[in-house]
Amino acid sequence: MVALLPRKYNLLLLLVTSLLYPIAGLLLGEPFTNPTIADLVVTPAVILLFANLGYIVQSQHGESGVVDERDVQNIDLALSVTGVVLLISILVIYIGHAVINEVTPAEVDYLALAAVGTIFVVLGGTEIYHRL
């Protein structure tokens, strides 16, 4: 059986590499200000593919995996902290618009809905899973 990187590691690697181009646009400006689908999806998917191929090759040479339990715990912590930071950021956006008495963009409402909805789905799903 082929040993791939753990799912959480793959997810985090894909998401972080997908967001590097827009972050570069924020920090550096042109030519990164208008990312394409290839910049946001294809390039990160290729990076993920090569990361998994490297992991497979390393695993076949009998070396221990590059991801151990401590790494998985660190990934869990990173995802949790990222979620909290994003929730606080959404709240700060709402507060900023309330202070200047301006309507918050609908996109922020959808982000808030997705964030809070995800929390309830995950909490509810884990509760159901543990009760079964």
Side-chain angles (χ1 to χ4, degrees), residues 5-20 40-41 43-53 55 67 75 79:
L5 289 167
R7 284 181 293 194
K8 288 179 186 176
Y9 192 86
N10 277 323
L11 176 65
L12 191 61
L13 183 61
L14 181 68
L15 292 175
V16 168
T17 55
S18 294
L19 293 173
L20 286 179
L40 298 172
V41 178
T43 304
V46 170
I47 292 170
L48 185 63
L49 174 68
F50 281 109
N52 277 286
L53 289 175
Y55 187 76
V67 180
I75 290 169
L79 290 172

Side-chain angles (χ1 to χ4, degrees), residues 5 33 40 47 81 85 100 109 121:
L5 289 167
T33 55
L40 298 172
I47 292 170
V81 171
V85 168
I100 60 174
D109 296 336
V121 167

Side-chain angles (χ1 to χ4, degrees), residues 6-13 16 67-85 122 126:
R7 284 181 293 194
K8 288 179 186 176
Y9 192 86
N10 277 323
L11 176 65
L12 191 61
L13 183 61
V16 168
V67 180
D68 61 9
E69 183 61 32
R70 184 178 47 109
D71 293 327
V72 173
Q73 289 174 350
N74 290 342
I75 290 169
D76 286 342
L77 179 62
L79 290 172
S80 297
V81 171
T82 300
V84 170
V85 168
V122 169
T126 55

Side-chain angles (χ1 to χ4, degrees), residues 21-22 24-26 29-40:
Y21 204 95
L26 180 67
E30 291 291 336
F32 302 103
T33 55
N34 193 18
T36 64
I37 294 296
D39 299 326
L40 298 172

